[in-house]
Amino acid sequence: MTPGYEPWTEARGAEIIAEHDHLEGATLVILHAMQEAFGYVPEPAIPMIALARNLSRAEVHGLFTFYHDFRLEPSGKHVLKICRAEACQAAGCAALSARWE
């Protein structure tokens, strides 16, 4: 477990889902709440969210993978993000990225 985060339990995951399930578009909110609580979204949470939201696992997984900030495992102590959008490419992000790698 990463310091500052709760350990994953199915019961706690169910609590988080129940706390947010009444909201419109709650799937994204639930994913954020899971990551905030545990430091990542545990893989067993995906089918739990799908069942609660009446969605397929593929739909929840698709939403999860669309947003790059969600993680399936805890991150390291430091997280480095480098923009690779067109404007950043023009400003030399490839060289910066190569340097950090």
Side-chain angles (χ1 to χ4, degrees):
M1 181 181 74
T2 306
Y5 294 109
E6 303 174 41
W8 158 257
T9 65
E10 190 172 316
R12 180 63 179 126
E15 284 177 18
I16 291 171
I17 292 169
E19 288 170 9
H20 300 90
D21 195 37
H22 67 283
L23 300 171
E24 186 175 332
T27 307
L28 191 57
V29 177
I30 291 169
L31 288 169
H32 278 289
M34 292 270 185
Q35 185 150 304
E36 185 176 316
F38 308 119
Y40 66 107
V41 178
E43 197 152 350
I46 301 293
M48 291 174 63
I49 296 167
L51 182 63
R53 301 294 304 146
N54 197 29
L55 299 168
S56 70
R57 290 180 185 189
E59 288 173 302
V60 176
H61 188 292
L63 183 64
F64 175 88
T65 56
F66 179 79
Y67 294 99
H68 302 286
D69 287 333
F70 291 127
R71 299 180 291 277
L72 280 176
E73 51 190 46
S75 66
K77 183 176 180 180
H78 301 283
V79 176
L80 177 66
K81 296 181 183 183
I82 298 176
C83 176
R84 294 179 184 251
E86 289 180 21
C88 296
Q89 288 177 26
C93 74
L96 179 64
S97 179
R99 182 174 161 210
W100 279 100
E101 288 175 4

